[in-house]
Amino acid sequence: MGIGPSSALAQLAPGSRDIQALAWDSGNLIPLGFDSDGLESLADTVLGHGKLGGSLVGPADQVLSLWDLLQYTWGPAREVRPRQFSMVIDHPPLLEPDPEVRPARPAEHGLVLPASVAMFTEEVGYDPTAYGNSYASRAARLIRDGMTYVKLGPALDGPGSRVIFKADVGALAGGVSQIQGVWVAPDMRNRGIGGAAMASVVDQVRATFSPLVALYVNDFNPAAVKVYQRVGFRIVGEWATVLL
């Protein structure tokens, strides 16, 4: 087990330099491919380097087994979500894409950030901007890189616009784009906006970044699962998240 730059931890195959398993800390600690001995070694390594990230997220067997080893030192968790569906789509969306969904523009950061904060607060339980500028900086970076998609609507309290839908390409690696931060303004929900908007995101992401698009969604949000399935996503596995 070794820890390298950018907080990547790798388990090497015995007798070789080939990577057998990998854990990545990018705000979330994501373990992938570890056997039971490897998870024990990973736990020892991260405990020796202090807490990495604000959550554990990844395949359920990896995350929950690792948490069993870490919880007595890192716990208690704010929340454990043991069953989340990993979903993918590798073909054109089944719904008609919303033509008003497009990449956010850098000048629209002031419109996008409140939507991003609302999404995070609703999903995780606290305002991420209360702990420094890193969340706002990341939101600006995603916009700059063309990785945030939005649909605008009229402001609620006067002239101007607001974000009524947003989604981010939160991770891009190995020919897979992972969609994160999907959000619809509360007053616009249950109007059919999410399905057509997500179809547009899938269409644009497949044309711009990768032919395979992925996301994960909580099992206790069946409405969202149904929307993604209508778009054409299929369930391929189960993930888990431990919020610290």
Side-chain angles (χ1 to χ4, degrees):
M1 180 74 62
I3 184 167
S6 303
S7 298
L9 299 97
Q11 178 183 349
L12 303 182
S16 79
R17 297 183 61 84
D18 294 334
I19 294 176
Q20 175 177 309
L22 183 71
W24 180 259
D25 174 40
S26 59
N28 303 314
L29 181 61
I30 308 171
L32 300 166
F34 290 91
D35 57 24
S36 58
D37 290 340
L39 285 170
E40 290 185 9
S41 182
L42 174 61
D44 290 342
T45 301
V46 299
L47 288 173
H49 286 82
K51 187 176 291 186
L52 301 176
S55 66
L56 306 179
V57 60
D61 60 336
Q62 297 279 288
V63 167
L64 298 178
S65 296
L66 180 60
W67 181 238
D68 282 343
L69 300 169
L70 297 176
Q71 61 178 319
Y72 300 106
T73 303
W74 282 12
R78 289 193 299 110
E79 185 179 355
V80 177
R81 299 176 178 176
R83 189 167 183 251
Q84 300 170 306
F85 297 122
S86 174
M87 307 182 76
V88 301
I89 183 171
D90 56 3
H91 55 76
L94 302 182
L95 298 180
E96 185 70 23
D98 184 339
E100 295 184 357
V101 174
R102 57 167 175 79
R105 300 168 184 140
E108 295 170 333
H109 179 256
L111 292 178
V112 176
L113 183 59
S116 297
V117 170
M119 177 281 305
F120 188 97
T121 303
E122 185 176 339
E123 177 69 17
V124 182
Y126 66 89
D127 180 348
T129 62
Y131 299 89
N133 297 323
S134 60
Y135 188 82
S137 297
R138 182 175 186 273
R141 185 171 65 254
L142 289 173
I143 294 171
R144 181 198 66 203
D145 293 342
M147 299 172 77
T148 292
Y149 295 85
V150 296
K151 177 183 173 73
L152 301 185
L156 287 174
D157 53 358
S161 300
R162 61 172 174 141
V163 172
I164 62 173
F165 168 87
K166 70 164 286 290
D168 305 313
V169 180
L172 176 63
V176 181
S177 300
Q178 185 177 72
I179 304 300
Q180 300 175 355
V182 179
W183 181 82
V184 176
D187 63 300
M188 302 300 290
R189 294 173 187 173
N190 302 313
R191 299 190 184 188
I193 289 175
M198 277 302 299
S200 185
V201 171
V202 167
D203 219 21
Q204 295 180 64
V205 169
R206 293 187 73 245
T208 304
F209 294 110
S210 71
L212 182 62
V213 181
L215 55 79
Y216 62 96
V217 59
N218 295 310
D219 68 331
F220 54 77
N221 191 354
V225 174
K226 289 180 180 179
V227 168
Y228 296 141
Q229 289 176 324
R230 287 174 52 226
V231 172
F233 284 88
R234 64 186 184 276
I235 297 172
V236 295
E238 291 190 3
W239 280 36
T241 296
V242 178
L243 298 175
L244 302 173

